Amino acid sequence: MWRTAGGAVRVELQHGWCNPLRRQSCRHQSAQQGQRGIALIIVLWVITLLSLIAASFVVVMRSDVRLVTNSIGRAKAEAAANAGIQRAMFELFKPINTPDRWAADGVPREWGYQDAALIITMNDEAGKIDINTASEPLLRGLFQSQGMTPDDAVAMVDAMADWRDTDSLKRLHGAEEAEYTAAGLKYKPANAAFQAPEELKLVLGMTPQLYDQIAPLITIYARQPGVYSQIASREVLRAIPNVTEEQIDAYIQLREQARQAKAAIPIFTAGAAYLSVGSGYITRIRAEAKLPDGSSFIREAVGRQLGNPKRFYAFLQWKEGREQAAAGGIISALGPTSGSLSAKASPLATQQSSFPAAQQPSKQGTPLGTKVK
């Protein structure tokens, strides 16, 4: 603001001059300019808000695309794992003397299916301890091999027997309905055979930690009092009463030598009183599929050969697996030792299955460590 040559006072505004004698006009002009400034700020805020919304939309869309991509990858891996199960069942129907036939011996084999790499392991269920039919000394040995005291092992086996017998008479160290009620449990013993290995979790005295330790070693499908030593894992062999670690190590070495020489595998003579023959028709199959993009899926199933030309086999169990630590035995991958698989059984477990000719794989499976061409 300053005086002009004529003595008038002039005021410089943001966009021009204003005569202070016309104050109303100056105020009006200043108000208009203020409104334009506020409008500019509002526009900037709106642009910022829209930019944030657009950025959030981009992030959400990228996440959705990633989820869809992962879902597709997982679905492909699952389909490949299912194909691996079918391939394993196909192998079981080949004549025993067929060259390169896959046997239910616990040896993991590599196989390629489309763009998936699979590792397939087949085990005769007779290589595990059947919690319905195993002898009591073998069951006690199982629990003692996992760190239980002899007295606690006796109590656990008695409780198992009370669970599956058909009467309500309590064994000396067992548990019937009264003991379950006293423990605050709202259920009682089934008084019937175990319908699934997981049912063992309900038996009084069984802890989650103990079950996780023995889950890979037990079954309900062998239906034999002993174990098939030719394919049994080290942990299963340790359950046999009155055998030493040295005897087990020596037998496993002898067994592996026979396998490498493709000779008849000897039995575990140190535990002969607790051995059974292989079932030959009930096989646990584990197929782990991995895709180039990192997607993976593990399928585990128990297949039973029916010997019926109209219905070759059926699945007794069908569920998703999880990665597991390897156990000792014939080779490190012979048997899992970590927790049990936890997944809901598929309806396919009780349906008839077949291996269509159009789906027969073209690549020959090989033992683990041999590259598939």
Side-chain angles (χ1 to χ4, degrees):
M1 178 180 69
W2 63 84
R3 291 182 180 276
T4 63
V9 178
R10 303 197 66 153
V11 179
E12 184 178 7
L13 300 177
Q14 184 177 0
H15 299 291
W17 301 88
C18 180
N19 190 336
L21 298 177
R22 301 173 63 184
R23 297 181 183 278
Q24 185 175 2
S25 175
C26 288
R27 286 196 296 270
H28 180 70
Q29 186 174 352
S30 299
Q32 289 181 334
Q33 292 172 352
Q35 290 175 356
R36 286 197 294 269
I38 294 173
L40 179 60
I41 293 174
I42 293 174
V43 169
L44 290 175
W45 274 108
V46 170
I47 292 174
T48 302
L49 181 61
L50 291 176
S51 299
L52 291 174
I53 294 174
S56 300
F57 180 75
V58 170
V59 171
V60 170
M61 290 303 298
R62 285 181 178 176
S63 299
D64 290 345
V65 170
R66 198 176 299 116
L67 286 173
V68 171
T69 301
N70 292 341
S71 298
I72 293 174
R74 190 178 188 278
K76 288 182 177 179
E78 181 177 358
N82 293 344
I85 298 293
Q86 301 290 348
R87 169 62 192 266
M89 293 302 299
F90 174 72
E91 288 287 334
L92 291 175
F93 283 94
K94 289 183 177 180
I96 295 179
N97 57 353
T98 302
D100 298 323
R101 174 184 180 270
W102 295 3
D105 54 8
V107 176
R109 293 173 170 83
E110 291 183 339
W111 180 57
Y113 180 75
Q114 296 181 355
D115 60 344
L118 287 90
I119 296 178
I120 303 173
T121 307
M122 303 156 59
N123 279 292
D124 191 321
E125 281 291 273
K128 296 182 180 182
I129 298 171
D130 193 311
I131 57 176
N132 283 323
T133 60
S135 65
E136 292 190 6
L138 183 59
L139 290 173
R140 289 196 295 268
L142 169 65
F143 293 118
Q144 288 182 241
S145 70
Q146 300 303 315
M148 260 191 169
T149 65
D151 290 343
D152 288 341
V154 169
M156 190 73 252
V157 173
D158 280 0
M160 289 176 59
D162 280 337
W163 180 276
R164 66 174 186 250
D165 62 25
T166 56
D167 58 56
S168 299
L169 300 177
K170 175 181 172 295
R171 292 200 171 200
L172 181 60
H173 302 287
E176 284 289 352
E177 183 176 359
E179 284 68 33
Y180 284 81
T181 302
L185 300 175
K186 299 184 181 301
Y187 58 87
K188 61 182 180 179
N191 289 335
F194 291 100
Q195 299 300 304
E198 292 81 3
E199 190 178 344
L200 188 58
K201 295 178 182 180
L202 302 176
V203 175
L204 191 64
M206 178 60 62
T207 64
Q209 181 181 4
L210 177 59
Y211 178 80
D212 286 344
Q213 290 177 254
I214 67 171
L217 316 178
I218 60 175
T219 183
I220 60 169
Y221 303 113
R223 301 176 184 177
Q224 300 193 50
V227 296
Y228 185 39
S229 64
Q230 284 89 328
I231 62 169
S233 68
R234 176 189 294 273
E235 289 298 311
V236 171
L237 295 177
R238 290 182 66 242
I240 298 177
N242 306 318
V243 298
T244 64
E245 295 287 345
E246 291 74 17
Q247 289 174 320
I248 294 174
D249 290 339
Y251 173 68
I252 288 175
Q253 183 178 3
L254 181 64
R255 187 171 65 177
E256 179 59 16
Q257 291 173 353
R259 188 179 303 280
Q260 294 294 336
K262 296 184 178 180
I265 299 176
I267 65 170
F268 185 34
T269 55
Y274 300 94
L275 302 185
S276 296
V277 298
S279 68
Y281 62 93
I282 298 181
T283 307
R284 181 174 296 273
I285 307 168
R286 175 184 168 89
E288 180 176 359
K290 291 187 178 181
L291 298 180
D293 63 2
S295 301
S296 63
F297 189 89
I298 300 173
R299 174 69 71 199
E300 182 164 330
V302 175
R304 178 177 182 178
Q305 301 178 48
L306 301 178
N308 186 336
K310 295 184 178 180
R311 187 183 182 190
F312 294 106
Y313 60 90
F315 287 117
L316 306 178
Q317 187 181 75
W318 182 275
K319 58 185 179 181
E320 180 179 349
R322 69 181 185 186
E323 292 187 1
Q324 300 175 4
I330 298 177
I331 56 176
S332 61
L334 210 170
T337 59
S338 63
S340 64
L341 304 175
S342 56
K344 293 182 179 179
S346 165
L348 291 175
T350 56
Q351 293 180 359
Q352 177 180 351
S353 301
S354 60
F355 197 86
Q359 296 181 2
Q360 290 185 5
S362 58
K363 295 183 179 179
Q364 185 70 26
T366 58
L368 186 60
T370 304
K371 186 176 180 180
V372 177
K373 298 181 179 180

